Amino acid sequence: MNENRGPWYLITGLVLGAIAGLLFAWLVQPVQYTNTAPSTLSSEFKAKYRSLIAAAYMTNNDLVRAKARLALLKDPDIYRSVAEQAQLSMAQGNSSQEARALGILAMALNQSLNEASHSAQPTKIIIPSNPTLESSLPIVSTPAPAETTFSLSTPQSLTSTVSADTNTPLPTATTGTPFALKSRKLVCDEDFGAPLIQIIAIDSAGQPAPGIEIIITWEGGENHFFTGLKPELGLGYADYTMTPDVAYTLKLAQGGQPVSDLSAMYCEGSNNQQWGVWRLEFVQP
Amino acid sequence: MITLGIGATLGLLYGWVIDPIKYVDTTPDTLRIDYKSDYVLMVAEAYQTERDLPLAVERLTLLGAANPTEIVHRAILFAEEQSFADSDITLMRNLEESLQVWYPLAEDNAP
Protein backbone atom coordinates (compact mmCIF):
# COMPACT_ATOMS: atom_id res chain seq x y z
CA MET A 1 0.00 0.00 0.00
CA ASN A 2 2.65 2.40 1.05
CA GLU A 3 4.69 1.83 -2.07
CA ASN A 4 1.71 2.85 -4.25
CA ARG A 5 1.39 6.29 -2.66
CA GLY A 6 4.43 7.56 -4.50
CA PRO A 7 5.83 11.05 -3.71
CA TRP A 8 2.44 12.82 -3.94
CA TYR A 9 1.80 12.86 -0.20
CA LEU A 10 5.10 14.72 0.21
CA ILE A 11 4.07 17.33 -2.33
CA THR A 12 0.63 17.65 -0.71
CA GLY A 13 2.31 18.33 2.63
CA LEU A 14 4.61 20.87 1.02
CA VAL A 15 1.73 22.70 -0.64
CA LEU A 16 -0.41 22.70 2.51
CA GLY A 17 2.54 23.96 4.52
CA ALA A 18 3.26 26.69 1.99
CA ILE A 19 -0.37 27.81 2.03
CA ALA A 20 -0.38 27.89 5.83
CA GLY A 21 2.89 29.82 5.80
CA LEU A 22 1.58 32.37 3.32
CA LEU A 23 -1.66 32.84 5.25
CA PHE A 24 0.35 33.45 8.39
CA ALA A 25 2.78 35.83 6.68
CA TRP A 26 0.17 37.83 4.80
CA LEU A 27 -2.85 37.78 7.08
CA VAL A 28 -1.99 36.77 10.64
CA GLN A 29 1.40 38.38 11.07
CA PRO A 30 2.14 40.59 8.07
CA VAL A 31 5.31 42.67 7.86
CA GLN A 32 4.73 45.82 9.90
CA TYR A 33 5.90 49.09 8.39
CA THR A 34 6.39 51.56 11.17
CA ASN A 35 9.27 53.68 9.95
CA THR A 36 7.94 54.78 6.61
CA ALA A 37 9.02 57.67 4.43
CA PRO A 38 6.71 60.42 3.13
CA SER A 39 6.88 58.94 -0.37
CA THR A 40 4.78 55.99 0.81
CA LEU A 41 1.92 58.18 2.03
CA SER A 42 -1.44 57.91 0.31
CA SER A 43 -2.22 60.62 -2.21
CA GLU A 44 -4.62 62.24 0.26
CA PHE A 45 -1.91 62.59 2.89
CA LYS A 46 0.67 63.62 0.31
CA ALA A 47 -1.64 66.50 -0.57
CA LYS A 48 -1.87 67.47 3.10
CA TYR A 49 1.90 67.19 3.40
CA ARG A 50 2.35 69.47 0.37
CA SER A 51 -0.08 72.02 1.84
CA LEU A 52 1.88 72.00 5.08
CA ILE A 53 5.17 72.49 3.23
CA ALA A 54 3.61 75.51 1.51
CA ALA A 55 2.26 76.85 4.81
CA ALA A 56 5.69 76.50 6.41
CA TYR A 57 7.25 78.19 3.39
CA MET A 58 5.02 81.21 3.99
CA THR A 59 6.83 81.64 7.33
CA ASN A 60 10.42 80.70 6.59
CA ASN A 61 10.67 81.77 2.91
CA ASP A 62 13.23 79.01 2.62
CA LEU A 63 12.84 77.59 -0.87
CA VAL A 64 15.74 75.18 -0.47
CA ARG A 65 14.09 73.65 2.54
CA ALA A 66 10.70 73.54 0.82
CA LYS A 67 12.25 71.82 -2.20
CA ALA A 68 14.02 69.29 -0.02
CA ARG A 69 10.77 68.52 1.76
CA LEU A 70 8.88 68.20 -1.51
CA ALA A 71 11.58 65.86 -2.79
CA LEU A 72 10.68 63.45 0.00
CA LEU A 73 7.33 62.87 -1.68
CA LYS A 74 9.15 61.69 -4.80
CA ASP A 75 6.76 63.36 -7.21
CA PRO A 76 8.03 63.17 -10.79
CA ASP A 77 7.69 66.96 -11.15
CA ILE A 78 7.45 68.87 -7.88
CA TYR A 79 6.49 72.16 -9.53
CA ARG A 80 3.65 70.57 -11.45
CA SER A 81 2.30 68.72 -8.42
CA VAL A 82 2.27 71.88 -6.31
CA ALA A 83 0.76 73.97 -9.12
CA GLU A 84 -1.93 71.39 -9.80
CA GLN A 85 -2.77 71.13 -6.13
CA ALA A 86 -3.03 74.92 -5.92
CA GLN A 87 -5.51 74.88 -8.79
CA LEU A 88 -7.43 72.01 -7.24
CA SER A 89 -7.48 73.70 -3.88
CA MET A 90 -8.99 76.81 -5.43
CA ALA A 91 -11.48 74.82 -7.47
CA GLN A 92 -12.60 72.87 -4.42
CA GLY A 93 -13.06 76.05 -2.45
CA ASN A 94 -10.55 75.07 0.24
CA SER A 95 -9.23 77.80 2.48
CA SER A 96 -7.91 80.71 0.43
CA GLN A 97 -4.88 80.75 2.74
CA GLU A 98 -3.98 77.21 1.68
CA ALA A 99 -4.53 77.91 -2.01
CA ARG A 100 -2.51 81.10 -1.78
CA ALA A 101 0.38 79.38 -0.01
CA LEU A 102 0.45 76.62 -2.61
CA GLY A 103 0.24 79.18 -5.40
CA ILE A 104 3.11 81.22 -4.02
CA LEU A 105 5.25 78.13 -3.51
CA ALA A 106 4.47 76.98 -7.06
CA MET A 107 5.53 80.32 -8.43
CA ALA A 108 8.73 80.32 -6.39
CA LEU A 109 9.53 76.85 -7.70
CA ASN A 110 8.82 77.96 -11.22
CA GLN A 111 10.99 81.01 -10.80
CA SER A 112 13.84 78.91 -9.44
CA LEU A 113 13.48 76.45 -12.31
CA ASN A 114 13.65 79.28 -14.80
CA GLU A 115 16.68 80.77 -13.08
CA ALA A 116 18.37 77.39 -13.01
CA SER A 117 17.72 76.83 -16.70
CA HIS A 118 19.11 80.27 -17.55
CA SER A 119 22.09 79.99 -15.26
CA ALA A 120 25.47 79.33 -16.79
CA GLN A 121 26.51 77.51 -13.64
CA PRO A 122 24.16 74.63 -13.03
CA THR A 123 22.98 73.72 -9.55
CA LYS A 124 24.83 70.77 -8.20
CA ILE A 125 22.88 68.16 -6.27
CA ILE A 126 24.88 65.83 -4.11
CA ILE A 127 23.14 62.75 -2.85
CA PRO A 128 24.48 61.71 0.54
CA SER A 129 26.30 58.43 0.51
CA ASN A 130 24.85 57.32 3.83
CA PRO A 131 22.62 54.37 2.88
CA THR A 132 20.19 55.02 5.72
CA LEU A 133 19.32 58.27 4.05
CA GLU A 134 18.30 56.89 0.71
CA SER A 135 14.97 58.60 0.98
CA SER A 136 16.22 61.63 2.81
CA LEU A 137 17.33 65.01 1.72
CA PRO A 138 19.86 65.76 -0.94
CA ILE A 139 22.49 68.33 -0.22
CA VAL A 140 21.98 71.14 -2.65
CA SER A 141 24.62 73.69 -3.35
CA THR A 142 24.43 76.56 -5.76
CA PRO A 143 27.69 78.09 -6.97
CA ALA A 144 28.74 81.58 -5.97
CA PRO A 145 27.84 84.39 -5.89
CA ALA A 146 24.38 83.43 -4.61
CA GLU A 147 25.65 80.58 -2.54
CA THR A 148 23.01 78.59 -0.76
CA THR A 149 23.74 75.47 1.18
CA PHE A 150 21.47 72.89 2.65
CA SER A 151 23.04 70.37 4.88
CA LEU A 152 21.99 67.69 7.27
CA SER A 153 23.11 68.57 10.74
CA THR A 154 23.20 64.90 11.67
CA PRO A 155 22.64 61.77 9.62
CA GLN A 156 19.07 61.38 10.82
CA SER A 157 18.09 65.00 11.07
CA LEU A 158 15.79 66.61 8.57
CA THR A 159 16.45 70.09 9.73
CA SER A 160 18.53 72.46 7.72
CA THR A 161 21.07 75.09 8.50
CA VAL A 162 20.59 77.92 6.11
CA SER A 163 22.05 81.28 6.86
CA ALA A 164 19.50 84.02 7.06
CA ASP A 165 21.02 86.07 4.28
CA THR A 166 20.59 83.25 1.78
CA ASN A 167 16.87 82.82 2.40
CA THR A 168 14.91 83.00 -0.78
CA PRO A 169 12.57 85.97 -0.75
CA LEU A 170 8.87 85.52 -1.34
CA PRO A 171 8.15 85.46 -5.03
CA THR A 172 6.52 88.61 -6.16
CA ALA A 173 4.29 89.21 -9.07
CA THR A 174 5.62 91.23 -11.94
CA THR A 175 5.95 94.75 -10.71
CA GLY A 176 5.68 98.01 -12.58
CA THR A 177 2.77 99.81 -14.10
CA PRO A 178 -0.61 98.14 -13.84
CA PHE A 179 -1.74 95.84 -16.62
CA ALA A 180 -4.33 97.15 -19.01
CA LEU A 181 -6.98 95.15 -20.82
CA LYS A 182 -5.84 94.84 -24.42
CA SER A 183 -8.58 92.63 -25.80
CA ARG A 184 -11.77 90.92 -24.74
CA LYS A 185 -13.39 88.42 -27.05
CA LEU A 186 -15.68 85.44 -27.00
CA VAL A 187 -13.86 82.49 -28.52
CA CYS A 188 -15.55 79.38 -29.81
CA ASP A 189 -13.38 76.32 -29.61
CA GLU A 190 -14.61 72.76 -29.49
CA ASP A 191 -11.69 71.87 -27.22
CA PHE A 192 -13.38 73.70 -24.37
CA GLY A 193 -16.44 72.00 -22.99
CA ALA A 194 -17.03 74.43 -20.14
CA PRO A 195 -17.83 78.15 -20.01
CA LEU A 196 -14.40 79.54 -19.20
CA ILE A 197 -12.82 82.90 -18.62
CA GLN A 198 -9.25 82.76 -19.87
CA ILE A 199 -6.73 85.36 -18.77
CA ILE A 200 -3.47 85.93 -20.56
CA ALA A 201 -1.06 88.39 -18.95
CA ILE A 202 1.90 89.75 -20.89
CA ASP A 203 4.48 91.94 -19.15
CA SER A 204 6.17 95.06 -20.48
CA ALA A 205 8.94 92.94 -22.00
CA GLY A 206 6.38 91.02 -24.04
CA GLN A 207 6.82 87.89 -21.93
CA PRO A 208 4.05 85.86 -20.24
CA ALA A 209 3.70 87.09 -16.65
CA PRO A 210 3.25 84.43 -13.97
CA GLY A 211 2.04 85.17 -10.46
CA ILE A 212 -0.49 87.81 -11.38
CA GLU A 213 -3.27 87.69 -8.83
CA ILE A 214 -6.75 87.90 -10.30
CA ILE A 215 -9.85 88.73 -8.31
CA ILE A 216 -13.19 87.58 -9.63
CA THR A 217 -16.39 88.65 -7.95
CA TRP A 218 -20.04 87.89 -8.40
CA GLU A 219 -23.14 88.56 -6.39
CA GLY A 220 -22.43 87.07 -3.01
CA GLY A 221 -18.98 85.68 -3.78
CA GLU A 222 -15.35 86.32 -4.55
CA ASN A 223 -12.39 84.19 -5.57
CA HIS A 224 -8.70 84.76 -6.13
CA PHE A 225 -6.46 82.92 -8.52
CA PHE A 226 -3.09 83.39 -10.21
CA THR A 227 -1.54 83.17 -13.63
CA GLY A 228 1.12 80.55 -14.21
CA LEU A 229 -0.42 77.64 -12.34
CA LYS A 230 -1.13 75.75 -15.56
CA PRO A 231 2.33 75.88 -17.10
CA GLU A 232 1.33 73.60 -19.93
CA LEU A 233 -0.94 76.41 -21.16
CA GLY A 234 1.57 79.21 -20.63
CA LEU A 235 3.13 81.01 -17.71
CA GLY A 236 0.89 84.03 -18.15
CA TYR A 237 -2.24 81.93 -18.39
CA ALA A 238 -5.07 81.43 -15.91
CA ASP A 239 -8.65 80.36 -16.28
CA TYR A 240 -11.87 80.25 -14.32
CA THR A 241 -14.96 78.16 -14.95
CA MET A 242 -18.16 80.19 -14.79
CA THR A 243 -21.50 79.05 -13.47
CA PRO A 244 -24.24 79.70 -16.02
CA ASP A 245 -26.58 82.63 -15.30
CA VAL A 246 -24.08 84.34 -13.01
CA ALA A 247 -22.53 87.67 -13.96
CA TYR A 248 -18.88 88.11 -13.01
CA THR A 249 -16.56 91.06 -12.67
CA LEU A 250 -12.86 90.47 -12.96
CA LYS A 251 -9.89 92.62 -12.11
CA LEU A 252 -6.20 92.23 -11.41
CA ALA A 253 -5.21 92.60 -7.77
CA GLN A 254 -2.49 95.09 -8.61
CA GLY A 255 -4.97 97.53 -10.08
CA GLY A 256 -6.41 98.53 -13.42
CA GLN A 257 -9.90 98.70 -14.76
CA PRO A 258 -12.35 95.95 -13.73
CA VAL A 259 -13.87 93.90 -16.54
CA SER A 260 -17.57 93.49 -15.88
CA ASP A 261 -20.54 91.66 -17.41
CA LEU A 262 -18.76 88.38 -17.94
CA SER A 263 -21.21 85.53 -18.04
CA ALA A 264 -21.49 82.11 -19.63
CA MET A 265 -22.61 82.42 -23.25
CA TYR A 266 -23.24 79.98 -26.05
CA CYS A 267 -21.37 80.41 -29.31
CA GLU A 268 -23.33 82.09 -32.06
CA GLY A 269 -24.54 79.71 -34.70
CA SER A 270 -23.58 76.72 -32.63
CA ASN A 271 -25.97 73.83 -33.26
CA ASN A 272 -25.06 71.84 -30.20
CA GLN A 273 -25.08 74.76 -27.77
CA GLN A 274 -21.35 74.94 -27.38
CA TRP A 275 -20.06 77.18 -24.59
CA GLY A 276 -18.01 80.16 -25.62
CA VAL A 277 -14.81 81.14 -23.83
CA TRP A 278 -14.14 84.69 -22.72
CA ARG A 279 -10.52 85.43 -23.55
CA LEU A 280 -9.10 88.48 -21.82
CA GLU A 281 -5.63 89.64 -22.69
CA PHE A 282 -3.89 91.99 -20.28
CA VAL A 283 -0.74 93.78 -21.29
CA GLN A 284 1.64 95.82 -19.18
CA PRO A 285 2.42 99.07 -21.01
CA MET B 1 5.08 16.39 8.91
CA ILE B 2 8.56 17.36 7.74
CA THR B 3 7.34 18.41 4.30
CA LEU B 4 4.55 20.40 5.99
CA GLY B 5 7.23 22.24 7.95
CA ILE B 6 9.35 22.84 4.86
CA GLY B 7 6.29 24.11 2.99
CA ALA B 8 5.38 26.46 5.84
CA THR B 9 8.94 27.76 5.93
CA LEU B 10 8.88 28.40 2.21
CA GLY B 11 5.52 30.12 2.54
CA LEU B 12 6.78 32.36 5.33
CA LEU B 13 9.94 33.11 3.38
CA TYR B 14 7.88 34.12 0.36
CA GLY B 15 5.33 36.13 2.39
CA TRP B 16 7.79 37.94 4.63
CA VAL B 17 10.90 38.32 2.50
CA ILE B 18 10.32 37.75 -1.21
CA ASP B 19 6.89 39.30 -1.62
CA PRO B 20 5.73 40.89 1.63
CA ILE B 21 2.55 42.94 1.77
CA LYS B 22 3.51 46.33 0.42
CA TYR B 23 2.28 49.44 2.17
CA VAL B 24 2.03 52.14 -0.44
CA ASP B 25 -0.80 54.13 1.04
CA THR B 26 0.46 54.72 4.53
CA THR B 27 -0.64 57.38 6.98
CA PRO B 28 1.57 60.02 8.61
CA ASP B 29 1.48 58.22 11.99
CA THR B 30 3.70 55.49 10.50
CA LEU B 31 6.44 57.96 9.51
CA ARG B 32 9.93 57.54 10.90
CA ILE B 33 10.77 59.72 13.90
CA ASP B 34 12.94 62.13 11.90
CA TYR B 35 10.19 62.70 9.35
CA LYS B 36 7.66 63.09 12.16
CA SER B 37 9.88 65.68 13.82
CA ASP B 38 10.22 67.59 10.58
CA TYR B 39 6.43 67.40 10.16
CA VAL B 40 6.02 68.91 13.63
CA LEU B 41 8.53 71.60 12.70
CA MET B 42 6.46 72.43 9.62
CA VAL B 43 3.34 72.70 11.80
CA ALA B 44 5.26 75.01 14.14
CA GLU B 45 6.52 77.11 11.24
CA ALA B 46 3.01 77.45 9.83
CA TYR B 47 1.62 78.25 13.28
CA GLN B 48 4.12 81.07 13.63
CA THR B 49 2.35 82.93 10.82
CA GLU B 50 -1.18 81.59 10.96
CA ARG B 51 -1.67 81.64 14.75
CA ASP B 52 -4.44 79.10 14.21
CA LEU B 53 -4.24 76.58 17.04
CA PRO B 54 -7.18 74.38 15.96
CA LEU B 55 -5.56 74.03 12.52
CA ALA B 56 -2.22 73.15 14.12
CA VAL B 57 -3.94 70.52 16.28
CA GLU B 58 -5.76 69.13 13.23
CA ARG B 59 -2.41 68.77 11.46
CA LEU B 60 -0.77 67.17 14.49
CA THR B 61 -3.53 64.60 14.94
CA LEU B 62 -2.44 63.06 11.64
CA LEU B 63 0.63 61.87 13.53
CA GLY B 64 -1.45 59.70 15.84
CA ALA B 65 -3.98 59.72 18.61
CA ALA B 66 -1.54 60.91 21.26
CA ASN B 67 -1.94 64.24 23.02
CA PRO B 68 -0.79 66.93 20.50
CA THR B 69 1.45 68.48 23.15
CA GLU B 70 3.04 65.10 23.71
CA ILE B 71 3.66 64.75 19.95
CA VAL B 72 5.36 68.15 19.86
CA HIS B 73 7.30 67.39 23.04
CA ARG B 74 8.69 64.18 21.55
CA ALA B 75 9.69 66.07 18.42
CA ILE B 76 11.47 68.69 20.51
CA LEU B 77 13.39 65.98 22.37
CA PHE B 78 14.44 64.47 19.06
CA ALA B 79 15.33 67.89 17.67
CA GLU B 80 17.52 68.65 20.67
CA GLU B 81 19.16 65.25 20.46
CA GLN B 82 19.87 65.77 16.77
CA SER B 83 21.00 69.39 17.18
CA PHE B 84 18.35 71.04 15.06
CA ALA B 85 18.88 74.77 14.55
CA ASP B 86 18.01 76.79 17.66
CA SER B 87 15.49 78.84 15.72
CA ASP B 88 13.64 75.65 14.73
CA ILE B 89 13.57 74.37 18.29
CA THR B 90 12.28 77.74 19.46
CA LEU B 91 9.42 77.55 16.97
CA MET B 92 8.48 74.10 18.25
CA ARG B 93 8.66 75.29 21.86
CA ASN B 94 6.37 78.20 21.01
CA LEU B 95 3.86 75.76 19.58
CA GLU B 96 4.20 73.52 22.61
CA GLU B 97 3.56 76.46 24.95
CA SER B 98 0.44 77.41 23.05
CA LEU B 99 -0.80 73.83 23.11
CA GLN B 100 -0.15 73.45 26.85
CA VAL B 101 -3.18 75.61 27.60
CA TRP B 102 -5.59 73.17 26.00
CA TYR B 103 -3.63 69.95 26.04
CA PRO B 104 -1.36 69.96 29.10
CA LEU B 105 1.37 67.36 29.24
CA ALA B 106 1.05 64.54 31.75
CA GLU B 107 2.75 65.34 35.11
CA ASP B 108 5.69 63.00 34.55
CA ASN B 109 6.50 64.55 31.17
CA ALA B 110 6.35 68.12 32.30
CA PRO B 111 9.63 69.95 31.88
PDB file of all heavy atoms in Angstrom, chain B residues 16-30:
ATOM      1  N   TRP B  16       7.118  36.914   3.811  1.00  0.00           N
ATOM      2  CA  TRP B  16       7.790  37.942   4.627  1.00  0.00           C
ATOM      3  C   TRP B  16       8.970  38.595   3.908  1.00  0.00           C
ATOM      4  O   TRP B  16       9.276  39.756   4.147  1.00  0.00           O
ATOM      5  CB  TRP B  16       8.297  37.314   5.934  1.00  0.00           C
ATOM      6  CG  TRP B  16       7.243  37.201   6.998  1.00  0.00           C
ATOM      7  CD1 TRP B  16       6.049  37.838   7.034  1.00  0.00           C
ATOM      8  CD2 TRP B  16       7.301  36.401   8.176  1.00  0.00           C
ATOM      9  NE1 TRP B  16       5.348  37.488   8.159  1.00  0.00           N
ATOM     10  CE2 TRP B  16       6.100  36.603   8.890  1.00  0.00           C
ATOM     11  CE3 TRP B  16       8.242  35.520   8.713  1.00  0.00           C
ATOM     12  CZ2 TRP B  16       5.823  35.975  10.097  1.00  0.00           C
ATOM     13  CZ3 TRP B  16       7.957  34.901   9.918  1.00  0.00           C
ATOM     14  CH2 TRP B  16       6.761  35.123  10.598  1.00  0.00           C
ATOM     15  N   VAL B  17       9.660  37.796   3.084  1.00  0.00           N
ATOM     16  CA  VAL B  17      10.898  38.318   2.498  1.00  0.00           C
ATOM     17  C   VAL B  17      10.764  38.611   0.999  1.00  0.00           C
ATOM     18  O   VAL B  17      11.035  39.715   0.538  1.00  0.00           O
ATOM     19  CB  VAL B  17      12.078  37.335   2.740  1.00  0.00           C
ATOM     20  CG1 VAL B  17      13.374  37.891   2.155  1.00  0.00           C
ATOM     21  CG2 VAL B  17      12.229  37.055   4.224  1.00  0.00           C
ATOM     22  N   ILE B  18      10.338  37.597   0.247  1.00  0.00           N
ATOM     23  CA  ILE B  18      10.324  37.750  -1.215  1.00  0.00           C
ATOM     24  C   ILE B  18       9.206  38.698  -1.667  1.00  0.00           C
ATOM     25  O   ILE B  18       9.433  39.615  -2.443  1.00  0.00           O
ATOM     26  CB  ILE B  18      10.200  36.367  -1.904  1.00  0.00           C
ATOM     27  CG1 ILE B  18      11.402  35.504  -1.501  1.00  0.00           C
ATOM     28  CG2 ILE B  18      10.137  36.508  -3.430  1.00  0.00           C
ATOM     29  CD1 ILE B  18      11.279  34.046  -1.878  1.00  0.00           C
ATOM     30  N   ASP B  19       8.004  38.462  -1.173  1.00  0.00           N
ATOM     31  CA  ASP B  19       6.894  39.301  -1.616  1.00  0.00           C
ATOM     32  C   ASP B  19       6.012  39.687  -0.428  1.00  0.00           C
ATOM     33  O   ASP B  19       4.862  39.268  -0.333  1.00  0.00           O
ATOM     34  CB  ASP B  19       6.063  38.542  -2.680  1.00  0.00           C
ATOM     35  CG  ASP B  19       4.993  39.434  -3.278  1.00  0.00           C
ATOM     36  OD1 ASP B  19       5.107  40.667  -3.139  1.00  0.00           O
ATOM     37  OD2 ASP B  19       4.032  38.900  -3.856  1.00  0.00           O
ATOM     38  N   PRO B  20       6.549  40.492   0.479  1.00  0.00           N
ATOM     39  CA  PRO B  20       5.730  40.886   1.629  1.00  0.00           C
ATOM     40  C   PRO B  20       4.617  41.837   1.207  1.00  0.00           C
ATOM     41  O   PRO B  20       4.695  42.436   0.138  1.00  0.00           O
ATOM     42  CB  PRO B  20       6.723  41.593   2.556  1.00  0.00           C
ATOM     43  CG  PRO B  20       7.781  42.100   1.651  1.00  0.00           C
ATOM     44  CD  PRO B  20       7.862  41.137   0.501  1.00  0.00           C
ATOM     45  N   ILE B  21       3.611  41.970   2.059  1.00  0.00           N
ATOM     46  CA  ILE B  21       2.548  42.939   1.767  1.00  0.00           C
ATOM     47  C   ILE B  21       3.189  44.318   1.674  1.00  0.00           C
ATOM     48  O   ILE B  21       3.963  44.709   2.548  1.00  0.00           O
ATOM     49  CB  ILE B  21       1.481  42.920   2.880  1.00  0.00           C
ATOM     50  CG1 ILE B  21       0.652  41.645   2.773  1.00  0.00           C
ATOM     51  CG2 ILE B  21       0.581  44.146   2.802  1.00  0.00           C
ATOM     52  CD1 ILE B  21      -0.409  41.503   3.834  1.00  0.00           C
ATOM     53  N   LYS B  22       2.885  45.020   0.604  1.00  0.00           N
ATOM     54  CA  LYS B  22       3.506  46.333   0.419  1.00  0.00           C
ATOM     55  C   LYS B  22       2.555  47.426   0.887  1.00  0.00           C
ATOM     56  O   LYS B  22       1.391  47.436   0.525  1.00  0.00           O
ATOM     57  CB  LYS B  22       3.867  46.536  -1.055  1.00  0.00           C
ATOM     58  CG  LYS B  22       5.041  45.690  -1.480  1.00  0.00           C
ATOM     59  CD  LYS B  22       5.418  45.963  -2.924  1.00  0.00           C
ATOM     60  CE  LYS B  22       6.634  45.149  -3.320  1.00  0.00           C
ATOM     61  NZ  LYS B  22       6.406  43.694  -3.232  1.00  0.00           N
ATOM     62  N   TYR B  23       3.090  48.320   1.700  1.00  0.00           N
ATOM     63  CA  TYR B  23       2.282  49.435   2.170  1.00  0.00           C
ATOM     64  C   TYR B  23       2.635  50.652   1.327  1.00  0.00           C
ATOM     65  O   TYR B  23       3.691  51.236   1.484  1.00  0.00           O
ATOM     66  CB  TYR B  23       2.552  49.705   3.647  1.00  0.00           C
ATOM     67  CG  TYR B  23       1.974  48.637   4.542  1.00  0.00           C
ATOM     68  CD1 TYR B  23       2.644  47.446   4.770  1.00  0.00           C
ATOM     69  CD2 TYR B  23       0.731  48.819   5.132  1.00  0.00           C
ATOM     70  CE1 TYR B  23       2.097  46.463   5.573  1.00  0.00           C
ATOM     71  CE2 TYR B  23       0.179  47.842   5.934  1.00  0.00           C
ATOM     72  CZ  TYR B  23       0.875  46.666   6.155  1.00  0.00           C
ATOM     73  OH  TYR B  23       0.322  45.699   6.945  1.00  0.00           O
ATOM     74  N   VAL B  24       1.758  50.975   0.413  1.00  0.00           N
ATOM     75  CA  VAL B  24       2.031  52.139  -0.438  1.00  0.00           C
ATOM     76  C   VAL B  24       1.144  53.319  -0.081  1.00  0.00           C
ATOM     77  O   VAL B  24       1.401  54.431  -0.461  1.00  0.00           O
ATOM     78  CB  VAL B  24       1.865  51.807  -1.939  1.00  0.00           C
ATOM     79  CG1 VAL B  24       3.001  50.948  -2.432  1.00  0.00           C
ATOM     80  CG2 VAL B  24       0.532  51.164  -2.203  1.00  0.00           C
ATOM     81  N   ASP B  25       0.101  53.043   0.654  1.00  0.00           N
ATOM     82  CA  ASP B  25      -0.802  54.131   1.037  1.00  0.00           C
ATOM     83  C   ASP B  25      -0.792  54.275   2.544  1.00  0.00           C
ATOM     84  O   ASP B  25      -1.806  54.084   3.215  1.00  0.00           O
ATOM     85  CB  ASP B  25      -2.219  53.854   0.523  1.00  0.00           C
ATOM     86  CG  ASP B  25      -2.304  54.040  -0.970  1.00  0.00           C
ATOM     87  OD1 ASP B  25      -1.522  54.849  -1.508  1.00  0.00           O
ATOM     88  OD2 ASP B  25      -3.131  53.369  -1.603  1.00  0.00           O
ATOM     89  N   THR B  26       0.346  54.642   3.076  1.00  0.00           N
ATOM     90  CA  THR B  26       0.465  54.718   4.530  1.00  0.00           C
ATOM     91  C   THR B  26      -0.080  56.051   5.047  1.00  0.00           C
ATOM     92  O   THR B  26      -0.411  56.947   4.273  1.00  0.00           O
ATOM     93  CB  THR B  26       1.937  54.584   4.960  1.00  0.00           C
ATOM     94  OG1 THR B  26       2.671  55.650   4.388  1.00  0.00           O
ATOM     95  CG2 THR B  26       2.531  53.256   4.531  1.00  0.00           C
ATOM     96  N   THR B  27      -0.156  56.143   6.350  1.00  0.00           N
ATOM     97  CA  THR B  27      -0.640  57.378   6.984  1.00  0.00           C
ATOM     98  C   THR B  27       0.535  58.035   7.724  1.00  0.00           C
ATOM     99  O   THR B  27       1.511  57.362   8.049  1.00  0.00           O
ATOM    100  CB  THR B  27      -1.771  57.045   7.982  1.00  0.00           C
ATOM    101  OG1 THR B  27      -1.323  55.987   8.824  1.00  0.00           O
ATOM    102  CG2 THR B  27      -3.027  56.609   7.266  1.00  0.00           C
ATOM    103  N   PRO B  28       0.424  59.329   7.996  1.00  0.00           N
ATOM    104  CA  PRO B  28       1.572  60.018   8.611  1.00  0.00           C
ATOM    105  C   PRO B  28       2.001  59.434   9.961  1.00  0.00           C
ATOM    106  O   PRO B  28       3.145  59.605  10.368  1.00  0.00           O
ATOM    107  CB  PRO B  28       1.063  61.453   8.780  1.00  0.00           C
ATOM    108  CG  PRO B  28       0.029  61.610   7.726  1.00  0.00           C
ATOM    109  CD  PRO B  28      -0.638  60.277   7.616  1.00  0.00           C
ATOM    110  N   ASP B  29       1.088  58.750  10.672  1.00  0.00           N
ATOM    111  CA  ASP B  29       1.477  58.222  11.987  1.00  0.00           C
ATOM    112  C   ASP B  29       2.499  57.088  11.885  1.00  0.00           C
ATOM    113  O   ASP B  29       3.088  56.702  12.885  1.00  0.00           O
ATOM    114  CB  ASP B  29       0.245  57.766  12.779  1.00  0.00           C
ATOM    115  CG  ASP B  29      -0.522  56.670  12.067  1.00  0.00           C
ATOM    116  OD1 ASP B  29      -0.789  56.832  10.874  1.00  0.00           O
ATOM    117  OD2 ASP B  29      -0.841  55.646  12.704  1.00  0.00           O
ATOM    118  N   THR B  30       2.690  56.562  10.666  1.00  0.00           N
ATOM    119  CA  THR B  30       3.696  55.495  10.503  1.00  0.00           C
ATOM    120  C   THR B  30       5.069  56.055  10.109  1.00  0.00           C
ATOM    121  O   THR B  30       6.011  55.299   9.934  1.00  0.00           O
ATOM    122  CB  THR B  30       3.257  54.481   9.419  1.00  0.00           C
ATOM    123  OG1 THR B  30       3.166  55.160   8.169  1.00  0.00           O
ATOM    124  CG2 THR B  30       1.931  53.828   9.748  1.00  0.00           C
TER     125      THR B  30
END
